[in-house]
Amino acid sequence: MTQPMVRLSGLYKIFGARDKDVLHHVQGGMGKEELLAQHKHVLGLNNINVVMQAGEITVVMGLSGSGKSTLIRHLNRLIEPTAGEIIVQGEDVMQLSEDGLRHARQEKMSMVFQKFALLPHKTVLKNAGMPLSVRGEDEVTCDREAAKWLDRVGLSGFENHYPAQLSGGMQQRVGIARALTANTPIMLMDEAFSALDPLIRTDMQDLLLELQKELHKTIIFITHDLDEALKLADHLVILKDGCVVQQGEPQHILLNPGDPYIEDFVSDINRARVLRVRSIMTPLGGDKVPADAHGEVDVNDTLESMIARSGGDTSHAYIVKDGEQTVGTLDMTELVRALVPRVASEAGARQS
Amino acid sequence: MAFYDKLFSALGLSEWCGTSDDKAPLSLADLAAQAGGEEASGPFVPIPSFDNLHESCNRIWQSRDVTNGIEEGFLAAKPVLKTVLDPITQPLSWILDGALWLFEATPWFIMVPLLVAISWYASRSRPVTIFVAVSIMLLAVVDHYDVAMQTLSIIFVCTTISVLFGVPIGIAMSKSDRLQKSVVPLLDLLQTLPTFVYLIPLIFLFSVTESKLYGIAIILYAIVPVIRLTDLGIRLVDRDVIEAADAFGMNDRQKLVRVQLPLALPNIMAGINQTIMMSLAMVVIASLVSAPGLGVNVLRGIRNLELGVGIVAGIGIVLLAVILDRVSKAALTRVDKTQVKH
């Protein structure tokens, strides 16, 4: 495997004046509450080890206070870690000089913010061109690139408006266009869609996936919304109280929650819409393809579409294809079983 | 027998105090006693002031020694201060005199249209511009055009200098909490010190015939709001926007010029408006130390009890104040509008 785009190892962040002095308590196993009670320091991140692959969307999910926004700000050192390593494209961000860091922020990482953080006194065009003009590019280049990306996010015609004249969703499109104009391999998105209403949020998620299909950026996406996380993630990292509770492929986490906290989380998800055939099929053993198959399905079909297709008949079975190749079989009984969260199936039924 | 004798003997300090010394300057109480021909009879326990303690102990100062001390200290420091401050502040005299000459030498038929054009450019508001034209002509009709221009030239120079110094000081304060903590009490002092008190040490330091004397007094008084509001304005800039500027790798200068100053501009403009108003207030008082302009006529009104002269000059000052306020406020709202366009 090639070198990962970003690697965080042994990352700690403690908020407080003497963070280095109390670090050994945390490394010795002291929790967030104890640290606050005994040393008046707040534990932000506790031994984070995450690898982010190039071209993937890594989603960091957690509730408020879990340290997810703190985590993303370590990548471009908007927040200084207490201890640990941050390696971006093989380069240790912690070793960078002030100039080197600024250079990295200009050329390697761009950021999209929850509250958009556009310049209110500049037009949409100038806002989108800001990353280039910071680098010292001439105005013609800035405007040309900015116009190109504004068009790409569906904002052509609004170049000379001011941010306050646009709706929230459109402002965030400007935010995304600004990050794309920077033309950096890494995009950091800090709860980028959390301030938008649900319909617009879905639009923006689709836009992001569509852009990603052709641009193949390394995206680090922060969210508190599990539906959003499952929709976008190639790699999902779940944070709680500054610790990584579980990380991995989202479908895998959904089917095999490693912790009661995550079980609780995933139990409220519409599994039929999130889970895909490949996660629950029976891989092909030998060559025996069932003769009574009702048809062929793609590995990436959602269970929802399968239910619609079978008309709810659990006796059906299908052959699963990945492109031309037959990779497994799907029994509708298996499918129905997968729809019930593990914790609920063990308890018989979820008490509500 | 003074009241506090017993205290000093109880403390065993009688010797240190020495014997009564009649050469000491008279205290206020003594003067009162001489005038009334009888010994001062204060309250049962006199307040332990310097004068009262001095009666029992010669070693203790009298109150007038304090004021004398300040005066002597200031006079002792004066030569040094003067050699340092005189050359530094000399350009201010030149600028003030130059501006005064320029405003007076420019013929009215150039000056008035120019002022009206400036008000239009700054405010882009027809009512304000018309008001400015009418007011200036009103002043001219009652032969107050020249004095009004003198006042305007002083305000122009003092406000410009206040902005030139005040904005950088405000920026520096917004960058450093420590600097802010040390400058704020000074600003409070400048703002609360009665305006006449500024003049006293300045008169000692500089000659009354020099124009920098009133220039310094006006600037010290008027610079405060622009400093305060620049500091405040930059500190109030949205933290998220600053973070975005950092995230895209702006350096400190880019951040200041592209983000902080433009976003703080409405506050800075409000500070400049206040600075103009305060220099206008001070320019009247500065006429006591030979500042020319409408203030001189007000002063004449007070000194010679020429009611009409004083009141016409006073109304002239009000007109100038309203002109300056309206034009700068209109400019402020214009700046504000580019911020939040809906």
Side-chain angles (χ1 to χ4, degrees):
Chain A
M1 182 165 259
T2 51
Q3 181 190 37
M5 189 61 104
V6 179
R7 203 179 77 230
L8 308 174
S9 40
L11 195 65
Y12 289 89
K13 175 66 191 179
I14 298 163
F15 293 101
R18 296 181 300 110
D19 56 340
K20 294 265 197 298
D21 300 336
V22 298
L23 176 64
H24 67 274
H25 294 298
V26 178
Q27 283 168 333
M30 189 181 271
K32 191 172 186 168
E33 274 88 36
E34 289 170 276
L35 187 74
L36 186 62
Q38 291 178 24
H39 300 284
K40 305 262 178 281
H41 277 55
V42 177
L43 180 54
L45 294 175
N46 189 352
N47 194 17
I48 303 288
N49 296 287
V50 177
V51 171
M52 298 164 186
Q53 300 296 347
E56 282 194 349
I57 301 182
T58 302
V59 175
V60 179
M61 203 211 66
L63 299 181
S64 46
S66 62
K68 54 192 192 302
S69 286
T70 310
L71 175 63
I72 201 173
R73 278 166 177 70
H74 276 82
L75 296 187
N76 54 4
R77 262 174 77 192
L78 287 176
I79 297 178
E80 295 283 331
T82 301
E85 258 189 339
I86 305 160
I87 312 284
V88 175
Q89 288 184 315
E91 193 177 22
D92 189 349
V93 177
M94 292 312 297
Q95 302 301 324
L96 291 175
S97 64
E98 205 174 308
D99 274 337
L101 178 62
R102 224 169 17 238
H103 192 72
R105 286 173 178 173
Q106 289 173 3
E107 310 270 340
K108 285 190 181 170
M109 291 171 271
S110 51
M111 200 162 175
V112 182
F113 296 86
Q114 179 177 10
K115 290 177 189 152
F116 323 135
L118 303 171
L119 298 177
H121 62 292
K122 293 281 185 192
T123 60
V124 165
L125 187 71
K126 296 293 173 197
N127 261 295
M130 183 266 264
L132 290 182
S133 70
V134 168
R135 281 185 221 162
E137 302 275 354
D138 63 278
E139 205 175 334
V140 181
T141 317
C142 294
D143 288 356
R144 192 186 60 226
E145 285 294 301
K148 181 176 106 189
W149 289 112
L150 282 172
D151 182 47
R152 192 65 195 78
V153 299
L155 277 184
S156 49
F158 289 94
E159 285 89 350
N160 294 318
H161 285 59
Y162 285 88
Q165 295 171 303
L166 304 182
S167 69
M170 287 159 97
Q171 289 190 43
Q172 193 58 297
R173 280 168 198 261
V174 180
I176 292 175
R178 176 170 71 178
L180 291 172
T181 309
N183 197 18
T184 54
I186 302 174
M187 262 173 89
L188 308 173
M189 306 187 74
D190 179 24
E191 303 222 27
F193 305 149
S194 301
L196 307 174
D197 56 59
L199 274 180
I200 301 200
R201 197 185 306 170
T202 312
D203 275 352
M204 299 293 283
Q205 289 160 359
D206 293 339
L207 174 73
L208 183 68
L209 287 173
E210 191 190 317
L211 287 167
Q212 175 63 359
K213 231 179 248 171
E214 83 191 52
L215 299 173
H216 302 296
K217 303 242 179 211
T218 307
I219 298 177
I220 291 97
F221 195 99
I222 301 287
T223 182
H224 60 250
D225 178 356
L226 187 60
D227 282 303
E228 186 170 70
L230 291 170
K231 180 169 179 183
L232 298 175
D234 295 312
H235 183 79
L236 179 60
V237 179
I238 298 179
L239 275 187
K240 184 196 174 195
D241 291 341
C243 300
V244 175
V245 196
Q246 191 175 8
Q247 59 175 316
E249 217 250 314
Q251 307 255 319
H252 179 79
I253 293 179
L254 196 55
L255 290 169
N256 307 290
D259 181 84
Y261 176 74
I262 298 175
E263 270 174 15
D264 211 28
F265 240 128
V266 300
S267 61
D268 289 335
I269 285 296
N270 181 351
R271 298 161 75 90
R273 187 168 297 165
V274 175
L275 286 175
R276 296 180 189 274
V277 169
R278 67 180 139 90
S279 309
I280 57 159
M281 68 178 187
T282 318
L284 204 59
D287 289 323
K288 52 177 174 62
V289 178
D292 58 342
H294 288 74
E296 292 175 354
V297 294
D298 190 79
V299 277
N300 283 325
D301 281 349
T302 59
L303 303 194
E304 200 174 47
S305 69
M306 286 308 303
I307 295 170
R309 185 163 169 178
S310 65
D313 191 338
T314 51
S315 64
H316 286 198
Y318 294 91
I319 294 167
V320 183
K321 292 260 191 183
D322 186 1
E324 287 302 305
Q325 205 183 349
T326 306
V327 288
T329 56
L330 176 70
D331 193 338
M332 284 305 284
T333 328
E334 284 294 319
L335 184 149
V336 173
R337 205 171 286 145
L339 290 179
V340 186
R342 195 178 67 189
V343 60
S345 57
E346 277 167 7
R350 196 159 182 241
Q351 309 291 321
S352 52
Chain B
M1 182 73 178
F3 180 83
Y4 286 103
D5 282 1
K6 282 185 197 136
L7 176 71
F8 285 104
S9 49
L11 289 172
L13 291 171
S14 310
E15 204 126 308
W16 174 75
C17 287
T19 46
S20 171
D21 178 4
D22 287 332
K23 273 186 284 177
L26 289 172
S27 68
L28 284 175
D30 290 336
L31 283 170
Q34 278 181 2
E38 55 187 280
E39 199 171 326
S41 55
F44 183 59
V45 179
I47 198 159
S49 68
F50 280 149
D51 279 356
N52 284 333
L53 290 172
H54 178 82
E55 280 187 21
S56 308
C57 176
N58 275 321
R59 284 291 185 99
I60 293 191
W61 297 331
Q62 282 184 296
S63 290
R64 62 164 52 179
D65 292 328
V66 176
T67 48
N68 276 345
I70 290 174
E71 192 173 318
E72 276 160 24
F74 189 82
L75 287 177
K78 183 186 160 186
V80 183
L81 277 176
K82 203 169 160 58
T83 43
V84 175
L85 289 179
D86 234 6
I88 296 177
T89 51
Q90 197 51 45
L92 182 60
S93 279
W94 298 334
I95 297 171
L96 280 165
D97 293 340
L100 200 60
W101 174 85
L102 188 72
F103 273 67
E104 285 184 324
T106 314
W108 69 272
F109 48 84
I110 295 177
M111 199 66 190
V112 175
L114 192 69
L115 289 175
V116 172
I118 291 173
S119 350
W120 169 249
Y121 177 76
S123 66
R124 296 287 157 84
S125 151
R126 195 168 298 166
V128 170
T129 315
I130 292 171
F131 176 76
V132 169
V134 171
S135 303
I136 295 178
M137 287 323 290
L138 222 61
L139 284 169
V141 164
V142 291
D143 274 306
H144 275 60
Y145 171 79
D146 285 328
V147 274
M149 285 305 118
Q150 288 167 351
T151 300
L152 209 55
S153 85
I154 295 172
I155 290 170
F156 173 74
V157 170
C158 292
T159 307
T160 311
I161 292 176
S162 295
V163 171
L164 284 180
F165 284 93
V167 171
I169 294 174
I171 292 171
M173 273 170 73
S174 70
K175 303 275 172 208
S176 151
D177 285 338
R178 197 186 295 172
L179 185 66
Q180 192 201 31
K181 272 201 190 107
S182 56
V183 174
V184 163
L186 195 67
L187 297 182
D188 290 339
L189 180 78
L190 286 176
Q191 227 168 12
T192 47
L193 213 59
T195 42
F196 288 104
V197 180
Y198 283 95
L199 299 176
I200 301 171
L202 289 175
I203 292 170
F204 271 84
L205 268 180
F206 305 111
S207 146
V208 187
T209 53
E210 285 177 293
S211 31
K212 66 183 173 193
L213 173 56
Y214 61 79
I216 293 171
I218 295 169
I219 290 170
L220 280 181
Y221 188 62
I223 200 172
V224 179
V226 72
I227 295 179
R228 270 193 212 281
L229 281 157
T230 304
D231 173 44
L232 182 75
I234 292 181
R235 281 173 188 269
L236 285 183
V237 170
D238 192 352
R239 293 197 56 81
D240 292 324
V241 181
I242 296 292
E243 194 177 43
D246 280 329
F248 283 98
M250 283 195 191
N251 59 31
D252 286 344
R253 215 186 62 83
Q254 285 173 321
K255 231 182 342 183
L256 182 69
V257 176
R258 290 169 174 229
V259 182
Q260 289 171 319
L261 282 182
L263 294 193
L265 197 57
N267 271 317
I268 297 176
M269 293 285 283
I272 294 175
N273 172 275
Q274 285 304 300
T275 288
I276 295 173
M277 292 296 104
M278 289 178 81
S279 51
L280 188 64
M282 194 65 180
V283 82
V284 178
I285 291 161
S287 65
L288 283 173
V289 286
S290 78
L294 288 162
V296 176
N297 287 16
V298 176
L299 203 62
R300 204 175 104 197
I302 295 170
R303 269 207 292 246
N304 307 350
L305 289 179
E306 294 180 52
L307 177 72
V309 174
I311 285 183
V312 169
I315 291 172
I317 287 167
V318 171
L319 274 183
L320 270 191
V322 177
I323 288 175
L324 292 168
D325 182 60
R326 286 302 126 87
V327 172
S328 55
K329 277 231 181 82
L332 169 69
T333 44
R334 202 160 60 84
V335 169
D336 241 347
K337 251 186 214 152
T338 51
Q339 295 255 328
V340 219
K341 258 191 203 151
H342 284 285

